[in-house]
Amino acid sequence: TTTRCSSYTRSPIPIGPYSHVAKVGDLITIGGTAGVDPATGQLAGPDIASQAAQILRNFEVMLAAAGSDLGHVVHVDVFLLDVADFDAAQQFLIERVPEPVLLPHPVMVRRIDALAREFGAELVVLDPAVPLGLVGPSLALPYDVVLHGAEVTVPGRLPGSKQGLAYVLRNARHVIASGTYPAAEADRAAGCSLPTTIVPPGVDTSRFRPLNGSERAQARRDFGLPVDAPVILSVSRLVPRKGFDTAIRAIARVQRTHPGVVLAIAGVGRDEQRLRRLAVEIGAPVRFLGRVANDDLPRVYGCADVFAMVCRSRWGGLEQEGFGIVFVEAAACGIPQVAGDSGGAADAVDDGVTGIVVDGIDETVAAFTCLLDDDRERARMSVASRERAEREFDYDVLATRLGAVLGI
C-alpha cells in the first residue's frame, strides 16, 4: 500500500555538483553531464547524458511549438570535450563553466538561486536526482526532478543515500521519469506515490526512418556488411550490463541453422577486448563496427533485419537498464527489437508487438530464430515499431506532454 507523499520541512542540506543550467521560458534546468573515461576516450555514462539531451530537445520543440523565443535560453555546462561546434549549432545560448565538478557546498545553493533570479525563472528542473537533486529542498524556487534509472536505483537501495533521495523526491513539485521503471524505483525510495509524469527519451522520426531497398543495400556496403545475408545489429557501449556476450553466444548457435548470418556490433567500451576474444573462441559470426558517427546512426539501424540489446540486471538489481533509447531509434527505422528483460527495457519494447523481450541465451536464440525465419512476423513488427515510434516517442508528442507538466 502506498501513501500520498507529504513534503518534509525545508532545511539547508549539502548539495551535489551541477553542470548545466538552461533557462526555458519561466523555468531553468540544472543537470549533470558525463566526463570522459580516460581508458576509452568515451563520455562516462553517455546513456544518462543522451537522455538529458533528450529532455532539452523536448524543451526546444515544446517552446518552438508555442512560438516562444529560443534566443533567451541559456545552458551552462561542465564538459571535458571540445564542443564548440555543438554549442554554435544550438538555438539557445550555452555558457560553459571551468570547474570539472562543482563540489557540495552551501554557496552552490546561493549560486543557483542567483542564476534563477537573473533568468527570471519560476521553476527549477534538477537532473539527476542524486547527488544534484539534494540542492532542491534548499532552493528559493520550487523544483522538479528528472529520473533516468541508475541514479535512483542505487541510492534508493542503500542506507543513508536512500533517506537523502527520499528527501529530494518528497519535496519535489513533480517528478519527470524516463519510464515506469525509474518511476517505480522512485516511489519505492520515497515510500509513497509521487506526482509523476512519464516522458521517455524521444526520437526524431524524420531522421530515423525505414530505408528503401537501394538505400539499405548501399548502407550495408558502406558498413562492410553482407548485402544478401541476415544481419542482426547491436548498438551501445560495450559494457557487461548490455549483454553483448549473451548475443554473441546466441548468434554462434543461430548460425548452425542460418549460414551467413552476421551479428554487427556498433560501439566501443571497456568490455570490447573480452567480447572480441569470446567471438573468436566460439566461432561466432560477429563484425565489430567500432564507434559509428552520429550522422550515420539512422543508416546503420535501417540496414539491419533485427536489432538486439540483450541487457541484464546485475549486482542484485542495483544495475539495470534505465530505458534503452537504442530500441526506440531502431523502432523508428522499422527494425524489430530483441531486448533483455532488465529495468525499463520493457517500456521501450512492446513485447510481442514491436519486438521480443528475452531472459537468457535460450530465449535469445529462440527470438533470433523466430524473427529470421518468419518474414511475415518480422514485417508486422516492423510496421508496428514505426507506428509506435511516431505515436509515442516522436519529439512533438513528448514535448506536448512535458509542456503540460511544466505549465508551458
Side-chain angles (χ1 to χ4, degrees):
T1 302
T2 58
T3 58
R4 191 66 180 172
C5 285
S6 58
S7 296
Y8 293 127
T9 302
R10 288 188 173 215
S11 61
I13 57 173
I15 71 166
Y18 75 90
S19 64
H20 73 247
V21 181
K23 183 198 176 196
V24 186
D26 293 328
L27 60 98
I28 61 172
T29 69
I30 304 174
T33 328
V36 175
D37 182 341
T40 65
Q42 280 189 291
L43 293 179
D47 292 342
I48 296 295
S50 175
Q51 291 187 22
Q54 296 285 339
I55 293 293
L56 290 177
R57 170 62 173 157
N58 287 341
F59 283 144
E60 181 181 324
V61 174
M62 172 182 66
L63 291 175
S68 298
D69 180 6
L70 293 178
H72 292 89
V73 174
V74 178
H75 179 63
V76 182
D77 204 348
V78 170
F79 214 73
L80 301 184
L81 295 179
D82 181 5
V83 287
D85 290 342
F86 173 84
D87 294 357
Q90 304 312 303
Q91 298 185 58
F92 45 83
L93 175 64
I94 297 179
E95 298 178 4
R96 298 188 180 267
V97 297
E99 300 95 330
V101 177
L102 299 181
L103 297 175
H105 196 284
V107 172
M108 291 299 102
V109 173
R110 294 195 292 272
R111 186 174 184 180
I112 295 173
D113 283 341
L115 286 170
R117 287 193 299 271
E118 178 185 346
F119 296 161
E122 296 177 356
L123 175 68
V124 177
V125 180
L126 300 172
D127 178 13
V130 173
L132 171 64
L134 293 172
V135 304
S138 299
L139 296 175
L141 291 174
Y143 66 94
D144 291 359
V145 290
V146 177
L147 308 179
H148 303 278
E151 86 289 7
V152 182
T153 304
V154 177
R157 299 188 182 201
L158 298 177
S161 61
K162 179 178 180 179
Q163 285 72 27
L165 175 60
Y167 183 81
V168 171
L169 295 171
R170 293 170 69 114
N171 276 280
R173 183 197 72 102
H174 204 82
V175 173
I176 302 167
S178 67
T180 60
Y181 155 64
E185 289 293 319
D187 285 352
R188 171 178 174 164
C192 62
S193 178
L194 297 162
T196 302
T197 297
I198 305 298
V199 183
V203 63
D204 185 343
T205 55
S206 62
R207 179 170 171 251
F208 289 85
R209 60 171 181 80
L211 301 182
N212 61 37
S214 61
E215 290 173 328
R216 183 172 178 270
Q218 185 59 53
R220 289 195 175 195
R221 285 190 287 267
D222 291 344
F223 292 113
L225 299 173
V227 173
D228 298 322
V231 173
I232 298 175
L233 173 73
S234 292
V235 179
S236 189
R237 287 175 297 142
L238 306 189
V239 296
R241 174 168 56 86
K242 301 297 184 177
F244 286 104
D245 52 352
T246 300
I248 290 172
R249 293 183 187 280
I251 203 67
R253 290 168 52 179
V254 170
Q255 73 172 334
R256 300 169 191 169
T257 54
H258 298 76
V261 68
V262 171
L263 172 64
I265 297 178
V268 295
R270 60 186 172 87
D271 213 22
E272 181 173 353
Q273 293 307 312
R274 182 181 73 88
L275 296 172
R276 285 182 177 272
R277 288 193 300 269
L278 174 63
V280 171
E281 289 170 3
I282 65 175
V286 180
R287 304 279 180 90
F288 288 89
L289 304 182
R291 188 193 304 277
V292 174
N294 184 61
D295 289 345
D296 289 332
L297 282 176
R299 297 175 68 242
V300 77
Y301 281 116
C303 74
D305 296 295
V306 176
F307 178 83
M309 186 174 75
V310 195
C311 45
R312 59 185 171 224
S313 301
R314 304 173 74 229
W315 308 112
L318 289 177
E319 186 181 22
Q320 301 187 44
E321 185 66 27
F323 180 80
I325 191 173
V326 290
F327 297 121
V328 175
E329 291 172 341
C333 294
I335 308 302
Q337 312 98 58
V338 175
D341 188 6
S342 173
D347 282 345
V349 178
D350 191 351
D351 189 25
V353 178
T354 66
I356 303 173
V357 178
V358 299
D359 184 11
I361 294 176
D362 290 343
E363 291 188 11
T364 303
V365 171
F368 286 176
T369 301
C370 170
L371 291 175
L372 294 179
D373 284 348
D374 193 335
D375 293 344
R376 179 175 297 181
E377 178 71 352
R378 193 171 67 251
R380 181 188 68 80
M381 286 188 173
S382 173
V383 172
S385 292
R386 176 64 186 182
E387 290 177 346
R388 185 175 186 232
E390 292 177 321
R391 183 178 66 250
E392 299 184 24
F393 299 112
D394 184 81
Y395 282 132
D396 289 336
V397 173
L398 298 179
T400 299
R401 188 183 308 172
L402 182 62
V405 172
L406 300 175
I408 295 177

